[in-house]
Amino acid sequence: MSKSYEFVPEPPLVQGNHTFGSITALIGDIPERETPKGWYIAFGVANLLLLLLVALLSYLVWEGLGVWGLNNPAGWGWAIINFVWWVGIGHAGTLISAILFLFRQHWRTAINRFAEAMTIFAVMCAGLFPAFHVGRIWVIYWVFPVPNQMGMWPNFSSPLLWDVFAVSTYFTVSLLFWYVGLIPDLATLRDRVKSKTSRFFYGMFALGWTGSNRHWLNYEKAYMILAGLATPLVLSVHTIVSFDMSVSNVPGWHSTIFPPYFVAGAIYSGFAMVVSLMIISRKIYGLEDIMTVDIMEKMNIIMMVTGNMVAFSYLMEGFMSWYSGYIYERGIFWLYVVGPYAWGFWILMFCNVINPQFMWFKKVRRSVTLTFLVATFANIGMWYERFMIIVASLATDFMPSSWAYYSPTWVDYLTYVGTFGLFFTFFLLFLRFLPMVAISEVKAGLPQADPHYYEEDDQLEGSNGAGSIVIQPNESV
Amino acid sequence: METKENKQLHGILAEFQNPATLLHAAEAVNNAGYNKFDTFSPFPIHGIEKAMGLKKSKLGWIVLGFGLVGLIGAVWLMVWVMSSAMPLSISGKPLIDPPIYVPIAFELTVLLSSFGAVFGMLFLNGLPKPYNPLFNSENFNKASDDGFFLYIESEDALFSEYKTTELLKDAEAVNLEKIYD
Amino acid sequence: MSKTNENPTYWKSLNQLANNEEYKKFLEREFPENASELKDGMSRKNFLRIMGASIALAGFAACRRPVEKILPYKTRPEEVVPGNPLYYATAMPYRGSLTGLVVETHEGRPTKIEGNTEHPASMGNTNTQMQGAILGLYDPDRAHGITSDGQKKSWDDFLSFAKQNFTSDKKVAFLCEANSSLTLNRLKKDALKKFKNAEWVTYEPFGEQNALEGNNQAFGKKLRTYNHFDKAKVIVSLDADFLQQGSENVTNIGNYTRGRALESTKDSMNRLYAVESNYSLTGSNADHRLRIKNSEVELFTYALAASLADKIGGLEAFKGYNNHFSNHSWVSVLTEDLLNNKGESIVAAGNDQNPAVHAAVAAINMALENKDKTVSYYDVPTFETGNDTQRFYELTRDLKAGKYDALVMIGTNPVFTAPSDLDFSSALKATKTTVLLSQYHDETARQTQWHVNRAHFLEQWGDGTSYTGVKSVIQPMIQPLYGGKSEIEYLYAIINGTSGDGHKLVRETWKSYLSSTNFENQWEKILHDGILPNTEFDTPRVSLSSSFATYMNQAFAQAKKPGDNEIELVIKPDNKIIDGRYGNIGWLQELPDPVTKITWDNVALMSLKTAATFGVKNEDVVSITSGGKTVKLAAWVLPGHADNSITIWAGYGRKGIGRIADDDFGIYVDNKYKTLPFEVHKFESKNVFPFVTTDNPLYHTSVTVKKTGEYYSIASTQDHSSMEGRPLARQGTLDTYREDPHFAPEMEEVAGIEKKSYRKFPDALYTPQEGYDYLPQWGMSIDLNSCIGCGTCTIACQAENNIPVVGKEQVKRGREMHWVRTDRYFIGNDAGDPEIIHQPVPCMQCELAPCEEVCPVAATTHSRTGLNQMTYNRCIGTRYCANNCPYKVRRFNFFNFSKEFLSSGDDPEVIQMAMNPDVTVRFRGVMEKCTYCVQRLNRAQIDRQLETKNQSFKPVDGSVQTACQQACPANAINFGDISDPNSKVVKVKHNERNYIMLDVLNTRPRTSYLAKIRNPNPKMS
């Protein structure tokens, strides 16, 4: 039997009939516009927290690691948990800009800019922890292969060293990627702003960009290549972070499922964070037209998928620990479930296994408030996942005689809180002074950006440059 | 532009209605045989490189070069350190132990390649370029907003103030401006 | 050598220079040797001066080297070679008898104590207290001088005081600790000659007086019991913790483990039955253990004697006696087992049991014909006649009645330890003249007129006899740090009012034991060997005295069954600080108790059931009231403890002794109160001596216990006591071993898969690097069958490797620094009455060490001799190695522990003098761990190279020992070169019981274990 097909167009990316100019105005004017009071309040709070962080880290370095709750079996505690958690969050940005770019997902243009910014700041927060958790931070530079009078070099077989390279590379590349994306928009701002000084600074960072199409040629190539490089990179970072655990022999760490499992978890938490931040900033800056609910729904779907991948790997862990028959592996999983840290395990189960299931319902996916809730739980859940993996596994490993209950100190708590100060200080500065949406990319996504748009004959309805058209079989006929 | 007299003509800047007209204009100018010309738009326009008769970007080769340097450098460093500079027995592992090279070799390759991509792109575009005669034109600010421009330099062999202006007029330029330097 | 002695001030001044700010700064630098560091403000000249000073600081003790000629044990050098230690033989007075020691001294500074292999009481081994003695020597809290009523006085003041007050017409009472000193005994005679109707009383809170009185009742003679545990096949311990308590415990441990050693399936081993209320160390090693109330042990003994009486002669006194134990399965089984092993059995009673029990036990051993086979009764000449306990009571009463002009106390602390109803302090008030010789300005000292600070045994000349009577001389290793006096100098001064030189006094005494013709040669030989051989006490032929039967009948009358729900309180000497005398030694305080793993505190031990009845769990505070006295203590549930019984260790709850010993962790220095840099919060008055009364010296039968609702945290080093079914510490019975000798290595770690099958898999995916075969390949084997879990290895390691004391708070956080710990697991299905297995765990020195590959800076790597070594200077402290160590033997310096430990006290250098110069002191933020005492290994290797002119790099087997191995009283640890097929350790590793912990991980440890074998009686079910 023959089937006839009809086109069901995707909803336009940008709602409300915007022109190139109106979009420039919508985003480009934010730095010019009167700063909302809320911004100052938020910025003040963020600064206080940042100050707290600085104070606590100085205290740590002055007194010694003993001020943290670490003990003998649990040599790693909150520091590493927070590190992994922040790095995980840092995954969304580059993922959105790189992978979705390669997949021609044009809806990314609405969020990629501040997702990338978020990535960079999250990785900064993450980077603090491994640096400060060492016993003698004043010789931390020994982890870099710098020729020195001791004739010593790092040990390249240590996953911790791989981490050093992975995270620093990830940070650098994300930063470059972000900056390259910014150049044309900086030029836009350069050409808009009134005050001489801001003109000077925007101008300086715009590097004299003119929008020449000879430049655009190389520029697009570069952007494409960067995306191509960042894609494996973003997958490699959490893979290597997971090596810190999976390469060791600690029961509950030594597991081959960790790399995919960690990456999935990272995307899960990363998207959760982006969605939450998007929901906030679209409200404050009235960007509902660009950061549309459709986009939110798309991201929710990704959260649901990755969330279920995570849930699946929990199942696999449980199954493998039983199937392996390896008594220490069995022991640790049983201890997760009923052991001293069982409470953490069940919080985790709710946040990462039950919680994403809500996203099956379109209502939830499209509801701003519910999405925000689910996203928040997702982030809590991912923190507890790392808590269970790192602390619970270490505190109850091979030697029952050495088991000890790990409990954090007030320094641990407040240091973690402090990192939010660091994060939001930078993030708010970004919102205030930089275009939070990729202007040129949004324009390129508009229907009128396509030269064919002006040729009367083929006015494809809803041809919006996204070029992605869903084809659904029509059962009638 | 009160000081036209003591400055000399640098080129003619033509503004167009939309990407489509700019595209056609570029085609016309290119067919007319001009080569010292350029088009400006707030975003890349599909197919304009063909219209302008531009060749493919050479960036890929630069990136490849950087990438190879990263890869070989990383592997060489690790082999040299672990086997000759600091040959230690670590967990009884052999001094040359390829599996452990993978993560760092990969990371350094990516790092160097992206350096190549970014700095290569800036190099090919001759950026940063703090001064550009076009910045003298108030109107040109629109190039980063919603303006579509075509610029023909006076350097060009075929350039003559009259002929060129006519050509651009025929190409539906909405606004013409002489740029002095 | 003698040059230094003439001008000590010269050194002192340099030493002071070494302490100036500039020098301190210099020391604080990370790399003092780094030239660039030296540029700022420090000229080369200045630098040299300071380095010289620091070397002088190391040789600070040089100025204190004794003037008299003492002889090195091994080598007799022309002069001291700096950096090369010298070994001297001496002996330690431990609870009334001597144990022969060899002391390692660096530039005249004793740093480490080892056993004297030629001394029968030591046989080369030591116990925790002996290892800790070094820290006791350098204890900055020891009394710094003579005081009288709080005033500082000089020795001459004391002499003149003695001259005036101790005239022959005075009625003087002497109260002396248990002391075997021959010279003291000689002077004692002089004293009793000089002072008419003087009394000399020996007093020990936890001494052997009950045993002596028991034998006295049995044999009509005050004899010392000595059990040859190596000769016995069956041992019955009636609350006798002979492996931990008693002055001869080192000998006992050695003998006991020798009696259990298994080299092959053919060997046989002894069987130990323990009957006790508390879970003692001995009980934890028993093959069968019966937990009954302490007050019932007496009844059990009589019941046993009675059932034996039906089978053999010599126990007529017990015929017809019966009580609720008479039909107990244990009594019948024991009777049978003992009768089957006549002359090869031992019945031993604890010192804390009353004399009647000891009398009964003596009779049983006689009846079983054990005398002179497995049990010896020694006639100790230095004993006074009569019951020491009673004589002490009478003396106190007389003192209170003012019957004496003067009281001379030697080394005792009766105000703290004497029965509370005696009220000894009032006796002190009632006496005109009171003098005391003791190391600390303790409770008694504060109420005594004159306090003379006592010299540490490492600072004094002295002598004495071992538990079995072998005579030794105590040589000083160093001159008294605080100008202390030995008991003989002190007593001599009191008798003669003049100063007597210890050296001369001892030689004087020994004239009578050595032939006058070649005295000097013999004397030198004795100093060199440390003993005068073949001088055991004689063992008189004895028989049961006629009065024995009547005596026992009285005992039967008194011994009655306690009420079932009656709560009983037992005061036991602490396993580490005994009656508190070693309370200020941080190493001992921080050493986990062998059974409970508790550090720093004493607790109210009780069984699960009892705790349930009180509704308390660990660390709940209970208030215990008995005889009008109340003490508040944290409860601690000890599985296997007798029900309705509470055991508390004595010796805690002190004030003003020292930083470590005190409750509130402070000390009086010149009447000023000072506290330590690191805090150890202790509980108010945990002193349980007030419970001890003349009527109930041993235990209280009716005690009320209340839960207070308060909570007091206890620092225990092991929170989890179940092995979770994991084959870590492996054990089997003698029968299983004989049926399947390989049972231990075959225990499976992957459910359903046999070891053999996955042993076939390739070891590694790569060919691992091997050690170099021209070098020794070090390996260790620990025999769990010998290990009794005493913890001596831990202290020995701490002494050898400069391991700091971290304090209770840090131990609670799980940050203790011990390089070798002893794991204690409870085994068995009955949670109320489990078995215990001990397992010492040092670094396993894995050949494929998981810790090494994960270190990002290569701070831990493998040596060519197969050691897994730490480079402290390279370590940045990621703690990844510790995470990845499956054996959890790595220790991290979370704070600057060493600095705190070594800078505590009024004159820190004193503690610093205890440090071993061959071992780095670790700083904050670095990881550390057991190194197999690499400093010893390298020294041995270098010596070997020199001997053989670089022909061989492999030390001869047995020429090098690790600290733990050398100290281990059970000889459970073997160590050596595993590349040498004839070495002891290789032979041991070939034993079928040899297994590797967590070998499923294929870490290839160099340290392996021999499984523990128990020898249960099949009749006991």
Side-chain angles (χ1 to χ4, degrees), chain C residues 160-446:
Chain C
S160 50
F161 160 81
K163 223 186 209 64
Q164 291 154 17
N165 292 272
F166 291 102
T167 49
S168 53
D169 57 333
K170 290 282 192 311
K171 195 170 192 306
V172 184
F174 293 90
L175 187 62
C176 183
E177 65 181 359
N179 191 321
S180 69
S181 171
L182 302 159
T183 308
L184 189 73
N185 196 43
R186 179 170 66 82
L187 294 170
K188 169 176 136 191
K189 295 202 181 70
D190 298 355
L192 296 176
K193 219 183 270 104
K194 176 179 177 184
F195 305 107
K196 303 284 162 284
N197 49 50
E199 269 296 314
W200 184 287
V201 174
T202 306
Y203 166 64
E204 274 288 324
F206 296 106
E208 55 183 334
Q209 57 272 21
N210 291 336
L212 298 177
E213 175 58 15
N215 293 346
N216 192 18
Q217 293 296 342
F219 305 131
K221 205 166 187 340
K222 206 171 170 186
L223 297 173
R224 170 183 279 170
T225 314
Y226 175 66
N227 300 317
H228 305 268
F229 292 103
D230 51 341
K231 302 206 179 104
K233 285 214 166 55
V234 171
I235 303 165
V236 178
S237 149
L238 302 164
D239 188 38
D241 191 0
F242 57 87
L243 295 179
Q244 181 70 62
Q245 298 298 341
S247 60
E248 81 286 25
N249 75 327
V250 175
T251 330
N252 289 349
I253 295 170
N255 289 341
Y256 169 74
T257 48
R258 223 167 285 121
R260 291 180 81 82
L262 291 174
E263 276 171 10
S264 75
T265 50
K266 286 166 220 61
D267 297 358
S268 64
M269 63 194 287
N270 66 33
R271 176 177 294 146
L272 171 59
Y273 301 89
V275 179
E276 60 186 9
S277 64
N278 178 26
Y279 212 141
S280 72
L281 182 62
T282 308
S284 74
N285 285 283
D287 300 302
H288 292 290
R289 184 171 166 278
L290 176 64
R291 55 191 186 107
I292 59 174
K293 283 185 173 182
N294 192 294
S295 47
E296 290 178 314
V297 173
E298 183 178 12
L299 297 159
F300 183 89
T301 313
Y302 301 155
L304 177 61
S307 92
L308 281 164
D310 305 338
K311 306 273 187 344
I312 47 169
L315 294 168
E316 289 70 18
F318 298 90
K319 268 212 164 25
Y321 175 85
N322 71 337
N323 61 22
H324 65 289
F325 281 111
S326 301
N327 311 330
H328 196 286
S329 64
W330 268 66
V331 171
S332 45
V333 173
L334 284 186
T335 313
E336 188 188 348
D337 215 357
L338 286 170
L339 290 175
N340 296 344
N341 296 283
K342 266 173 138 191
E344 291 182 315
S345 59
I346 293 174
V347 180
N351 282 344
D352 309 333
Q353 290 299 322
N354 64 30
V357 176
H358 289 273
V361 164
I364 294 173
N365 280 324
M366 289 296 286
L368 291 169
E369 297 157 27
N370 292 334
K371 181 175 184 304
D372 300 333
K373 300 203 187 72
T374 55
V375 182
S376 305
Y377 296 103
Y378 287 122
D379 184 3
V380 182
T382 53
F383 284 159
E384 298 90 32
T385 52
N387 180 345
D388 294 326
T389 322
Q390 292 312 325
R391 292 186 63 223
F392 173 63
Y393 293 172
E394 282 151 26
L395 178 71
T396 321
R397 297 198 182 93
D398 297 351
L399 285 165
K400 278 199 280 194
K403 292 193 185 150
Y404 288 93
D405 304 320
L407 170 63
V408 177
M409 290 174 286
I410 301 172
T412 59
N413 186 8
V415 172
F416 181 62
T417 60
S420 48
D421 56 338
L422 279 177
D423 187 15
F424 195 86
S425 27
S426 68
L428 288 172
K429 285 188 200 67
T431 314
K432 181 164 158 296
T433 315
T434 54
V435 294
L436 169 69
L437 175 80
S438 70
Q439 287 206 354
Y440 296 91
H441 196 73
D442 55 27
E443 294 82 355
T444 313
R446 270 174 246 136

Side-chain angles (χ1 to χ4, degrees), chain B residues 25-120:
Chain B
E27 223 155 4
V29 172
N30 186 33
N31 295 344
Y34 288 86
N35 49 24
K36 281 195 170 2
F37 74 100
D38 200 350
T39 62
F40 303 89
S41 55
F43 51 85
I45 298 172
H46 294 282
I48 197 156
E49 64 277 10
K50 250 186 240 74
M52 293 170 67
L54 301 179
K55 275 183 248 65
K56 287 182 92 255
S57 167
K58 291 176 208 63
L59 191 58
W61 298 105
I62 300 179
V63 175
L64 178 67
F66 272 73
L68 284 176
V69 171
L71 178 66
I72 294 161
V75 173
W76 172 81
L77 176 73
M78 287 186 278
V79 173
W80 176 71
V81 164
M82 302 288 277
S83 65
S84 95
M86 199 180 72
L88 292 169
S89 165
I90 288 169
S91 299
K93 298 224 167 132
L95 290 176
I96 293 183
D97 189 8
I100 67 162
Y101 304 153
V102 174
I104 291 177
F106 170 79
E107 295 297 333
L108 286 184
T109 312
V110 171
L111 184 66
L112 270 284
S113 315
S114 34
F115 282 150
V118 176
F119 300 117

Side-chain angles (χ1 to χ4, degrees), chain C residues 942-953:
Chain C
I942 293 162
D943 292 347
R944 179 64 175 164
Q945 273 172 265
L946 295 176
E947 285 164 20
T948 62
K949 309 247 173 341
N950 289 343
Q951 290 318 298
S952 164
F953 295 70

